[in-house]
Amino acid sequence: MLRNLFFTTSLLLAIFVIQKSYASDENIDRVYDENIQSVILYSGTDQLNPPVMELGTTNNLVLAFDDMSHDSYIFNYTIVHCTRDWETSDLQPMEYLNGFLEGEIRDYAFSLNAIPEYVHYELRFPDADMRIKLSGNYIIKVYINTPEEGNMILTRRFFVIEPLATIDVSIPYYPKEIQFTRMKQQVDLVVFAPNDLFMTEAKQRVSVMIMQNGRWDNMAKNLHPTSVMQNEMSFNYTNGILFDGGNAFRNFDMKSFWYQSMYIKSITSEPNGYKVVLYTDLPRAGKAYETIETINGRKFIKARTEQSTSIEGEYAWVHFTLKYPEIKDADIYILGAINDWEYNEKNKMVYDPDTRLYHGQLYLKQGYYEYLYSVLPKGKTVGDVTLIEGDHFETDNYYSVFVYYRERVPEYDRLLGYSYFNSKLVTTLD
């Protein structure tokens, strides 16, 4: 990728290029430059918070990442409004943004005593120069010069809510399909809103999305209410809204390279950085559920207490091995925020017939990481964690519920309700 240091594009040209490029770029969480590592996007001051902010408040989001480079750059960014399905909406940038339509990331610092060297960048947004006017799905795009193909650095999705609707959720112990008892988790929900909000074409205009932990592949999408009564909408599907219970996330702690924590077999210092080898993982399907405290597949980038994580945290190649018979018609992936919940070549395991083990490796900054092994059949987009990890109703999963309303003038998807909850806290015996 050519990194040009000159940023003298006129505003009109920038607007034209931005609008032209929106239609062709994918609105997903992705890193397009191999030098970019450890991307996190969160709300407030806790990096474990989901990237959700409330419209009309002073709340902001934090985007942070490392560039494995010796030189600093001034990266540009813009914010794009999306539909509930993450397509670029038909709104013009000036309809959903106040102020400037693009900004610069100027907050950066060079690493200190780290091998290899890198530059750490941080951005807090929205700010006084770029404010968001409408609720909905958004994506922030970071790029060099203009957001054309070849200039994109990274993209990250986030949510802006208008808290007009409230959501009542529960997970019944006995799902509608009895054969899934003590395996699947059925999410029951009722949405409440002011009487005049959903009175017009509620079944057509209202839709709900449900996300389990941070997974995008198995989201329940475009759920429309089955009944509407005054200010109450029910989502009472014949077979229920079901998710695999799965299992507690596996984890390893490498906040320090001075000692080997549980699940780490060895740590070695090499000329180009560290190498961390994890103990071989074994399948857990068919075994009893074991309660483990987890952060539900998220990552927590953190070095030792006496270190400044942002510029002193170091990197390591982390090696994974899994003892599992070779699967001919599917691939096995390491799944979690550890790799942005994606399925790609970086987190795909490779089978070695000599050792009869699956092998994989990821390049990670010091911190605490969680993951599962997911099996993705050839030609499919939804992975299955139950084949290797097992399937348990007791699993501690976090769910996010998003309630959208299709506005007519201007036409866009408003995000009017949001709920983030722990499955254990809403389980009922009904």
Side-chain angles (χ1 to χ4, degrees), residues 123-368:
L123 170 69
R124 294 182 181 274
F125 73 97
D127 57 19
D129 293 330
M130 185 189 297
R131 300 182 302 277
I132 295 175
K133 297 193 292 185
L134 302 178
S135 66
N137 292 348
Y138 283 87
I139 188 164
I140 181 170
K141 300 192 174 189
V142 180
Y143 48 88
I144 292 287
N145 286 345
T146 56
E148 298 170 293
E149 184 178 355
N151 288 354
M152 198 67 64
I153 302 297
L154 65 90
T155 53
R156 277 297 181 275
R157 289 172 280 198
F158 65 95
F159 305 88
V160 179
I161 63 169
E162 296 176 74
L164 299 178
T166 57
I167 306 167
D168 183 18
V169 296
S170 62
I171 297 180
Y173 185 86
Y174 295 102
K176 292 184 177 181
E177 298 190 60
I178 301 301
Q179 69 268 30
F180 294 140
T181 300
R182 299 195 61 78
M183 296 170 58
K184 310 300 180 185
Q185 292 179 344
Q186 176 182 302
V187 178
D188 291 347
L189 70 149
V190 179
V191 176
F192 301 90
N195 289 335
D196 60 342
L197 184 59
F198 294 153
M199 289 301 292
T200 305
E201 299 177 324
K203 289 188 177 182
Q204 292 75 37
R205 296 199 194 186
V206 175
S207 62
V208 166
M209 313 285 190
I210 305 177
M211 173 185 284
Q212 184 189 54
N213 300 314
R215 291 181 63 178
W216 295 95
D217 62 315
N218 70 336
M219 282 186 69
K221 301 177 181 179
N222 294 316
L223 302 173
H224 295 281
T226 55
S227 65
V228 180
M229 297 178 58
Q230 294 183 340
N231 66 333
E232 177 180 323
M233 291 181 295
S234 297
F235 294 77
N236 187 18
Y237 288 85
T238 302
N239 299 322
I241 305 170
L242 287 174
F243 290 85
D244 293 331
N247 209 336
F249 283 85
R250 304 173 191 260
N251 68 80
F252 61 94
D253 185 341
M254 63 171 205
K255 292 192 289 292
S256 175
F257 293 140
W258 290 1
Y259 65 88
Q260 295 169 211
S261 62
M262 186 180 298
Y263 307 122
I264 292 181
K265 183 178 181 180
S266 66
I267 301 175
T268 55
S269 177
E270 300 186 349
N272 295 324
Y274 286 90
K275 176 182 178 181
V276 174
V277 179
L278 305 181
Y279 283 104
T280 298
D281 287 318
L282 302 176
R284 298 185 290 175
K287 296 183 179 180
Y289 178 75
E290 181 181 357
T291 301
I292 302 173
E293 291 294 327
T294 79
I295 56 174
N296 298 94
R298 292 169 288 181
K299 60 186 178 185
F300 186 67
I301 299 175
K302 181 72 173 70
R304 300 188 312 273
T305 304
E306 68 273 17
Q307 290 179 288
S308 174
T309 303
S310 60
I311 60 173
E312 293 184 281
E314 299 202 71
Y315 278 83
W317 279 105
V318 181
H319 295 255
F320 301 77
T321 54
L322 170 68
K323 185 176 178 59
Y324 199 78
E326 183 180 13
I327 305 176
K328 297 292 186 180
D329 57 349
D331 293 307
I332 298 177
Y333 292 83
I334 305 164
L335 183 66
I338 195 170
N339 194 55
D340 299 331
W341 303 95
E342 281 198 349
Y343 295 92
N344 56 37
E345 291 301 314
K346 289 184 178 180
N347 63 325
K348 185 168 73 172
M349 304 289 283
V350 177
Y351 185 75
D352 183 350
D354 294 331
T355 62
R356 297 183 180 179
L357 297 172
Y358 276 92
H359 295 265
Q361 62 177 4
L362 291 172
Y363 194 54
L364 303 171
K365 197 174 186 178
Q366 283 177 263
Y368 176 86

Side-chain angles (χ1 to χ4, degrees), residues 3-21:
R3 294 194 170 184
N4 192 335
L5 293 179
F6 297 96
F7 301 94
T8 57
T9 311
S10 69
L11 178 60
L12 289 177
L13 178 60
I15 293 173
F16 172 77
V17 175
I18 290 171
Q19 291 175 339
K20 184 178 179 181
S21 66

Side-chain angles (χ1 to χ4, degrees), residues 38-64:
S38 303
V39 182
I40 51 175
L41 176 62
Y42 58 93
S43 63
T45 59
D46 186 349
Q47 64 176 276
L48 295 181
N49 288 338
V52 178
M53 59 172 290
E54 188 174 321
L55 185 67
T57 67
T58 58
N59 298 341
N60 58 20
L61 303 177
V62 177
L63 174 69

